[in-house]
Amino acid sequence: MTIVGNDRADGFTRSPPREIRLFLLHGSEEGLIHERARGLVDAIVGHDKDPIRVTRIDRDAAAREPGRIADEVYAVSMFGGHRAIWVEAPSRDLTAAIEPLLLRPPSDSTLVVEAGSLPKSSPLRLAFESAKNAVAIECHPDDSRALGALVDGEAREAGLSLTPEARQYLLALIGSDRLISRAEVAKLMLYAAGSETIEAADVEAIVADAAPSEFDAAIDCALLGDIAGVERASGRFFADGGDAGLLVIRLVARVGLLHRIRLEMEQRRSFEAALQANFFPLSPASRAALARQAERWTSAALGQRLPAIQTVAARARRDPRLAPAIAMRALWALATAVKGR
């Protein structure tokens, strides 16, 4: 059984064992899964930018042609060099396509599979966890220690330091999604370039959109069934040049958080206890909105919709031109679902 826990996953993906040829990344945080998958691929091919050495198979292609995975894994490279086969797992089970690879691991390529949140009974997860030549890597939302390490590492690389107040303020604003958190921290480091120390005022000036805004207002309205509010908030968001790709990533993170909170609440825990267990710092207004959303939804209803929203996020990343329309359809679908409940 080879399982890498969330606390060891960052270091492991930066320097994976050379003898392992099959990796599964799964969990509740899509941005973190994607970042760690990219880190694995970079480590496998040695940061080689040659596209021939990296083959991407997205969710749609994997669902349509599952046999293509084995074809790519066993294909012989025309120009030599180890290859990485990077697969986004669809909602349908890929175990039948993966099991032959576990029995006969490739020698000249490595398979990296991005999956979503998989239960312990998932056949795909069990297949990777029980194989001696494969690894299953957990990817869950960052806790305070992981967020602190992310911030300190980025600051150190930029040759900057943060005052205690600035660090505390920054950590309170980020954390819902690894990709969004890293983007916000990188933006702050760029803003502070040329200085030695980052102050709380710098964080407030540049990381303001990590706090509640039209970005979150559109999601709040959708999860509360406020269709008119979705129209207003999203209209302002896109009019200000908002990034639809980040919006759907944030939507995935929010629905995932709400799902975890509902699971806790259905075990007779209070909303506050459930929120604290998931380490998600929020402003009073956002906390109140999330509490209302938790009253409107059940874990079952959220669990049914989360895979579809994750698929939407992947499509928005693949086609930025259609991302605004894709994001709007996802928000309308959620708002309509609340209306119908």
Side-chain angles (χ1 to χ4, degrees):
M1 180 178 294
T2 310
I3 302 171
V4 175
N6 193 58
D7 57 338
R8 296 195 301 116
D10 281 330
F12 182 88
T13 53
R14 284 193 295 268
S15 184
R18 292 186 177 182
E19 68 273 13
I20 300 297
R21 293 286 184 263
L22 303 114
F23 298 88
L24 171 71
L25 298 100
H26 68 92
S28 54
E29 221 245 71
E30 181 173 314
L32 185 54
I33 292 171
H34 187 71
E35 178 175 290
R36 286 174 174 167
R38 183 190 295 116
L40 263 176
V41 170
D42 285 347
I44 291 162
V45 301
H47 301 277
D48 191 335
K49 301 302 182 182
D50 186 350
I52 294 176
R53 295 187 61 191
V54 179
T55 299
R56 293 291 303 272
I57 302 178
D58 63 27
R59 284 184 172 92
D60 292 341
R64 196 170 53 247
E65 301 178 88
R68 182 186 165 196
I69 298 174
D71 292 342
E72 293 289 353
V73 165
Y74 292 132
V76 177
S77 175
M78 293 178 60
F79 302 100
H82 199 84
R83 298 168 58 239
I85 314 303
W86 187 356
V87 178
E88 286 183 303
S91 56
R92 63 178 290 183
D93 186 24
L94 280 181
T95 308
I98 300 296
E99 281 183 332
L101 310 182
L102 296 170
L103 294 174
R104 186 169 68 89
S107 57
D108 298 323
S109 65
T110 296
L111 177 67
V112 177
V113 179
E114 283 188 58
S117 184
L118 300 177
K120 290 183 178 179
S121 59
S122 162
L124 183 62
R125 181 173 168 180
L126 289 172
F128 272 84
E129 289 180 349
S130 59
K132 294 182 179 179
N133 47 26
V135 172
I137 303 170
E138 297 177 347
C139 301
H140 300 302
D142 289 319
D143 58 16
S144 57
R145 184 174 61 179
L147 281 175
L150 169 65
V151 169
D152 295 341
E154 292 288 329
R156 187 164 51 249
E157 187 173 336
L160 297 166
S161 63
L162 291 87
T163 66
E165 294 79 9
R167 188 176 186 274
Q168 182 178 8
Y169 187 22
L170 178 60
L171 291 177
L173 290 173
I174 62 175
S176 62
D177 182 276
R178 172 66 72 88
L179 291 180
I180 295 175
S181 296
R182 189 176 292 281
E184 291 297 333
V185 173
K187 186 170 62 175
L188 175 63
M189 299 304 156
L190 183 62
Y191 174 80
S195 305
E196 293 184 358
T197 305
I198 297 174
E199 306 284 347
D202 300 320
V203 176
E204 185 172 13
I206 202 66
V207 193
D209 58 356
S213 64
E214 301 301 340
F215 198 78
D216 298 282
I219 296 173
D220 286 337
C221 290
L223 289 168
L224 289 170
D226 184 356
I227 297 175
V230 169
E231 293 281 356
R232 289 192 301 271
S234 59
R236 288 192 292 266
F237 175 74
F238 289 123
D240 290 339
D243 186 326
L246 289 179
L247 175 59
V248 291
I249 290 176
R250 184 74 153 239
L251 179 61
V252 170
R254 177 67 67 82
V255 173
L257 170 67
L258 192 57
H259 183 235
R260 295 192 299 276
I261 287 175
R262 279 301 313 176
L263 288 172
E264 297 275 349
M265 292 174 67
E266 288 162 16
Q267 296 296 319
R268 298 188 176 183
R269 296 184 181 178
S270 68
F271 169 78
E272 290 296 333
L275 184 62
Q276 186 175 5
N278 284 278
F279 183 74
F280 196 92
L282 293 168
S283 69
S286 293
R287 185 185 297 263
L290 191 63
R292 293 196 304 273
Q293 293 158 20
E295 294 174 357
R296 300 284 185 93
W297 290 88
T298 65
S299 64
L302 291 162
Q304 289 173 355
R305 287 166 176 79
L306 189 55
I309 296 171
Q310 291 170 333
T311 299
V312 162
R315 288 176 178 169
R317 286 203 308 270
R318 288 198 302 270
D319 195 339
R321 294 173 302 173
L322 294 179
I326 292 171
M328 285 303 304
R329 288 184 64 183
L331 293 171
W332 283 332
L334 281 175
T336 304
V338 180
K339 280 287 188 182
R341 287 175 55 80

